[in-house]
Amino acid sequence: MAQHCDCQTAVIDEQKAYQTLMQVIEDYDRKPSNLIQILHMAQAIFGYLPEKVQRFICEQMELPFSEVSGVVSFYSYFTTQPKGRHTIQVCLGTACYVRGGKKVLDALKGLLEIDVGETTPDRRFSLEVKRCIGACGLAPAVAINNVVHKRVNPNKLQDMLSQYE
Amino acid sequence: MFTMTINQQQVTAREGETILEVAKRNHIQIPTLCHLEGIHQIGACRICVVEVEGAKSLMASCVTPATSGMVVRTHTPKVRKARKVLYELMLSDHPTDCLHCARSHDCEFRQLGEVLQVDVSRFAGQRSKNLVDTSSAAIVRDNNKCILCRRCVSVCNEIQGVGALNAQNRGFGTSISPGGDLLLGSAVCAACGQCTLVCPVNALKEKDATKMVWDALADPELTVVVQTAPAVRAALGEPFGMPPGSLVTGKMAAALRRMGFDAVFDTNFTADLTILEEGYELLGRLAAGALANGAVTREQLDTLNLPGHLPQPVLPMITSCSPGWIKYAEHFYSPYLDHLSSCKSPHMMLGALTKTWYAQKQGIDPKRLFVVSVMPCTAKKYEVTRPEMTTDGIANVDAVLTTRELAQMIREAGIDFTHLPDELFDSPMGLSTGAADIFGVTGGVMEAALRTVYEVVTGRELPFEQLHVQPIVGLERIKTASFQFADVKPEWSFLEGVTARIAVTSGLAGAAHLLDEIAAGQSPYVFIEVMGCPGGCISGGGQPRPVNDDVRRKRLEAIYREDEGKPIRKSHENPDILTLYSEFLGSPGGHVAHNLLHTHYTVRSRT
């Protein structure tokens, strides 16, 4: 079997991603009223919404960049930063909050040296906050890559994170 | 029609009116801040809140429809307290450097504080924004001062269809910006400056040129020449308390002379010149089309006074005097740039002639000439920085002042403007015809061009009463007309019976509509006039505030008055223009004219 170098694969992947996005825009009839849905899909395809992807959407939909960027920056769901290999979601629903979720979050911020919504420079972790992940009996809960860690101790986070490279 | 009660007063309201509109008609003054009639009515600032009987909370009167039997109270203690708190909250995120703020005299935010009698500022805290964006050659954005009223967003998106500005982020982090890390200088901004006209504070303004001009005036080595655009004379009186529609042509010339300019020229002179260059370009395009389809022979064309090299027969041709429109077209309609006339705008032509013809006549080194343009426009500040706008490496125009900046300088120079005598412009670039005057208003360039083109082809005057092409006069967004070339001169026989359809638009959203027709291959026109600002230059981005349709109409009438008062009303009859051609330029579109007076365009990104 022929060997592909990674960068070639990346180029092909990016082309495919834009083709998929193009299809999404067409499926949504290029209607400005469907912008939010299209951005959702675009984020699913690329993992985040860098300026290049936003500009592509602007050109295809004939929308001003300031408008698309305005929508992207308004909703906290959208991110213009690439995601890390692992996504940490700290639950701050009522139960987790009263049982120390905030302390867990602060400890994680300190440990990773990033804020909520950001990704570590080595792209290992992204940090997010969720409002109740439905694991109130396990509070305070943290989900990493959608796997729930129960009764997280803010002093023992290093052990938990070391499982993820 | 129905009745309602405002402040115990029985008033009649019309279907569809808001509480604010009913109150205003009945002389009840509800304070507003973000509201801009007909343009921006979204209830963002909530200063206009009133008590409505039966409603759970205070209602924003600018967006709440009046209904039959409604009982409204506009100035109860509750309402006044709410307005004051809202004001104080906005003030807590606004610098209080009013003593040295350029908008202090007409800052709507400061004036509102006075109306509301806010005498304390209880809330001090973090400031949300600190960006001052000076990247654009035309417009400065000071986000420190922005109160997030979003008037600029409405004008830029809805009226102009550009979308260079929108709200970014949310809550305390909200700012009005081009998006991402973009600055205005690299955004799709057309530099039209309509945002600077509607900004209630000093957050959006023209880039200052007054310091540069004062320095030039003080430099004994420089000969400083000034020129004034047609629309400036119809608005410059307003900052000195004169009513909108006052014509101050003579006082303006007098003021400029007293400020120390060595020569006071009139951009109207080169507006006449533009008509000759652009008129013959249009005839050249029509002739090239006729030649291509065999309706005329090369020999017959040689008998006409047409440009040496015929232009491409691309129609409709579109006017190119408005630099905001040009930049917009370069961003959004780049495949159709060959429809644009190749003529530079009139003030660039005057600059180019000053540093060549005038310099030669006067024996002045062009490097020691400094040309200042007084324009109703912010985009002209950008236009002079375009690399094409130089001749032999020397800039055609060195500085552009807006009408507002000139008023400021006149005040700074201690000149009592309203008591100045009327003076004339200087020769050889001061004489203009009525056709040049109307360049300042939507429909004017078209009418001026037709006055010349029709007469060149038929030998008769344009067959409209008082030479006004009535269907294209007025403030409507898109205006159209048609006329027929009949009984043409023998040498123009290939145009006999041809019906010419024309269109005129002002404001960039209208331009987009006409360009979409061209893109779809369905444009029925031979000639289109586009002015970037609604109403044309009379309400350009550099004109005195406030601007609304009432002010526009008064300035428009003033411009037509100026035209009708002129002894000569057709550009091709301006004797000084004829001298310029015989002495220096040769013929319209000839070699010299082509080098000095024509330009080309640049494809730009639409994002």
Side-chain angles (χ1 to χ4, degrees):
Chain A
M1 216 167 95
Q3 291 284 313
H4 288 289
C5 89
D6 280 353
C7 66
Q8 257 179 353
T9 321
V11 170
I12 293 164
D13 284 352
E14 185 171 298
Q15 273 179 1
K16 269 193 189 156
Y18 277 105
Q19 278 166 12
T20 314
L21 177 55
M22 184 76 141
Q23 190 55 51
V24 168
I25 293 171
E26 268 160 31
D27 289 348
Y28 279 104
D29 300 331
R30 295 173 185 269
K31 270 192 199 153
S33 55
N34 290 331
L35 176 63
I36 291 180
Q37 288 91 318
I38 290 166
L39 288 171
H40 263 274
M41 299 297 278
Q43 184 155 301
I45 295 165
F46 291 88
Y48 69 118
L49 294 171
E51 200 177 300
K52 193 177 164 194
V53 172
Q54 294 181 45
R55 283 183 188 280
F56 180 83
I57 293 170
C58 291
E59 271 160 34
Q60 292 301 321
M61 299 181 67
E62 299 196 353
L63 285 173
F65 176 70
S66 68
E67 188 178 333
V68 172
S69 155
V71 173
V72 169
S73 62
F74 184 85
Y75 293 103
S76 55
Y77 175 83
F78 295 126
T79 174
T80 55
Q81 300 296 317
K83 279 287 170 70
R85 294 190 294 282
H86 310 291
T87 303
I88 307 174
Q89 298 173 318
V90 180
C91 183
L92 288 185
T94 311
C96 289
Y97 192 93
V98 298
R99 301 203 53 169
K102 186 74 185 349
K103 277 183 196 142
V104 172
L105 178 64
D106 289 341
L108 275 169
K109 279 190 199 169
L111 209 55
L112 301 173
E113 295 179 347
I114 55 170
D115 215 332
V116 173
E118 292 180 352
T119 298
T120 53
D122 62 1
R123 294 229 192 155
R124 191 172 157 209
F125 291 112
S126 297
L127 184 60
E128 292 178 2
V129 159
K130 289 279 153 179
R131 308 286 166 185
C132 193
I133 56 174
C136 306
L138 311 175
V142 168
I144 303 183
N145 302 340
N146 295 323
V147 174
V148 176
H149 295 250
K150 59 185 178 183
R151 286 185 273 282
V152 178
N153 179 344
N155 299 319
K156 291 185 182 168
L157 292 170
Q158 198 68 64
D159 290 350
M160 183 179 80
L161 296 183
S162 64
Q163 300 165 39
Y164 301 91
E165 258 325 300
Chain B
M1 295 281 271
F2 54 86
T3 59
M4 60 184 287
T5 309
I6 305 182
N7 301 345
Q8 280 135 20
Q9 188 185 329
Q10 185 102 339
V11 295
T12 53
R14 299 182 192 123
E15 218 62 54
E17 274 185 319
T18 62
I19 298 174
L20 180 70
E21 285 161 345
V22 180
K24 196 178 165 192
R25 236 177 354 87
N26 287 283
H27 308 291
I28 297 164
Q29 289 172 343
I30 300 174
T32 59
L33 182 56
C34 73
H35 178 82
L36 203 59
E37 201 176 333
I39 293 172
H40 185 68
Q41 302 173 175
I42 61 167
C45 75
R46 309 206 76 77
I47 285 291
C48 67
V49 288
V50 293
E51 269 192 83
V52 177
E53 229 173 67
K56 273 184 248 160
S57 56
L58 297 177
M59 308 292 280
S61 60
C62 72
V63 288
T64 308
T67 55
S68 178
M70 197 178 227
V71 179
V72 176
R73 290 181 193 86
T74 65
H75 285 78
T76 60
K78 185 179 173 188
V79 168
R80 281 184 287 136
K81 186 180 170 198
R83 286 183 192 142
K84 280 191 186 188
V85 171
L86 285 167
Y87 188 89
E88 280 182 88
L89 285 168
M90 278 190 265
L91 192 60
S92 74
D93 197 15
H94 186 83
T96 46
D97 58 357
C98 306
L99 282 182
H100 55 88
C101 175
R103 280 301 294 276
S104 167
H105 66 292
D106 70 340
C107 171
E108 294 177 43
F109 188 45
R110 198 188 60 76
Q111 288 162 353
L112 177 67
E114 208 179 309
V115 170
L116 299 180
Q117 287 293 296
V118 175
D119 50 10
V120 287
S121 173
R122 290 170 295 168
F123 315 123
Q126 231 183 317
R127 284 278 161 76
S128 65
K129 317 171 267 311
N130 58 16
L131 176 78
V132 181
D133 176 1
T134 57
S135 61
S136 156
I139 294 162
V140 174
R141 209 159 55 86
D142 184 350
N143 266 5
N144 288 293
K145 302 216 163 147
C146 176
I147 53 167
L148 302 173
C149 71
R150 292 167 171 78
R151 282 183 183 178
C152 56
V153 173
S154 285
V155 167
C156 189
N157 289 268
E158 316 300 327
I159 307 289
Q160 294 295 67
V162 173
L165 290 173
N166 260 300
Q168 310 294 321
N169 301 306
R170 67 190 300 171
F172 192 63
T174 306
S175 72
I176 308 299
S177 96
D181 298 324
L182 267 191
L183 295 175
L184 207 54
S186 41
V188 292
C189 172
C192 72
Q194 287 295 306
C195 58
T196 71
L197 269 188
V198 298
C199 181
V201 294
N202 206 26
L204 287 160
K205 55 191 165 185
E206 62 271 67
K207 192 170 237 180
D208 179 78
T210 62
K211 287 177 190 69
M212 206 199 315
V213 174
W214 282 129
D215 287 349
L217 285 169
D219 188 339
E221 299 284 299
L222 289 177
T223 300
V224 188
V225 167
V226 69
Q227 56 170 319
T228 56
V232 177
R233 65 208 65 189
L236 182 62
E238 292 167 34
F240 300 98
M242 297 166 82
S246 306
L247 273 173
V248 294
T249 319
K251 290 187 196 307
M252 177 175 69
L256 292 166
R257 212 160 271 131
R258 279 155 185 71
M259 285 165 69
F261 287 102
D262 298 297
V264 181
F265 290 146
D266 196 358
T267 313
N268 289 27
F269 173 77
T270 35
D272 277 331
L273 182 63
T274 300
I275 287 306
L276 284 244
E277 290 295 323
E278 201 163 285
Y280 274 96
E281 184 185 350
L282 177 65
L283 290 170
R285 288 184 188 223
L286 288 167
L291 186 66
N293 61 33
V296 67
T297 62
R298 188 80 236 187
E299 290 69 39
Q300 189 181 347
L301 288 186
D302 285 343
T303 65
L304 300 168
N305 193 18
L306 287 173
H309 291 286
L310 283 183
Q312 291 298 309
V314 180
L315 293 171
M317 186 175 89
I318 313 177
T319 58
S320 57
C321 314
S322 168
W325 147 241
I326 295 297
K327 189 161 186 278
Y328 174 82
E330 291 176 329
H331 281 297
F332 294 97
Y333 290 94
S334 55
Y336 309 101
L337 294 177
D338 52 357
H339 287 266
L340 296 175
S341 160
S342 62
C343 288
K344 286 184 182 173
S345 68
H347 89 117
M348 298 304 329
M349 288 192 184
L350 197 137
L353 289 172
T354 302
K355 296 201 180 179
T356 53
W357 183 50
Y358 180 72
Q360 283 166 28
K361 276 169 97 82
Q362 301 289 311
I364 306 172
D365 176 359
K367 291 195 184 72
R368 298 218 164 147
L369 269 166
F370 191 91
V371 177
V372 178
S373 302
V374 183
M375 299 283 126
C377 184
T378 49
K380 300 275 180 195
K381 285 177 184 275
Y382 150 78
E383 184 186 27
V384 298
T385 67
R386 293 180 67 115
E388 311 85 63
M389 297 299 167
T390 55
T391 304
D392 300 331
I394 299 173
N396 292 162
V397 171
D398 299 283
V400 173
L401 296 169
T402 61
T403 309
R404 295 190 293 262
E405 284 178 301
L406 176 61
Q408 198 180 304
M409 289 180 81
I410 291 172
R411 248 186 248 120
E412 200 178 342
I415 295 167
D416 180 357
F417 187 78
T418 52
H419 288 93
L420 285 173
D422 286 345
E423 291 182 9
L424 295 173
F425 292 104
D426 289 319
S427 189
M429 293 192 277
L431 184 72
S432 66
T433 72
D437 294 318
I438 56 176
F439 259 63
V441 60
T442 172
V445 175
M446 177 63 75
E447 183 174 310
L450 295 184
R451 288 183 192 175
T452 289
V453 166
Y454 188 85
E455 199 164 319
V456 166
V457 173
T458 66
R460 299 186 311 277
E461 269 197 350
L462 187 64
F464 285 93
E465 199 186 329
Q466 281 205 299
L467 295 175
H468 293 317
V469 185
Q470 210 54 48
I472 59 168
V473 174
L475 295 177
E476 297 76 34
R477 183 174 276 182
I478 293 176
K479 300 169 285 184
T480 62
S482 65
F483 64 92
Q484 201 180 31
F485 288 110
D487 295 327
V488 300
K489 288 184 182 169
E491 61 269 34
W492 293 97
S493 59
F494 61 94
L495 289 179
E496 180 65 39
V498 169
T499 298
R501 296 182 70 176
I502 51 150
V504 171
T505 190
S506 65
L508 293 168
H513 177 82
L514 294 173
L515 265 290
D516 286 339
E517 285 184 349
I518 292 175
Q522 290 166 349
S523 180
Y525 307 111
V526 295
F527 193 20
I528 294 175
E529 176 204 291
V530 177
M531 294 194 187
C533 293
C537 314
I538 47 164
S539 41
Q543 290 284 65
R545 309 176 184 96
V547 170
N548 51 43
D549 276 355
D550 184 45
V551 172
R552 282 191 182 93
R553 260 186 289 275
K554 285 177 176 146
R555 291 178 186 167
L556 177 144
E557 284 159 18
I559 293 278
Y560 282 108
R561 230 172 30 243
E562 184 90 332
D563 163 32
E564 284 161 16
K566 285 278 175 78
I568 307 173
R569 296 184 56 217
K570 293 174 277 187
S571 299
H572 56 279
E573 292 178 355
N574 181 333
D576 288 358
I577 291 287
L578 301 179
T579 306
L580 170 64
Y581 275 111
S582 65
E583 235 181 59
F584 184 66
L585 288 175
S587 59
H591 183 65
V592 181
H594 189 82
N595 278 345
L596 286 180
L597 312 180
H598 291 256
T599 186
H600 55 269
Y601 306 107
T602 307
V603 173
R604 297 176 201 275
S605 154
R606 66 163 297 136
T607 58

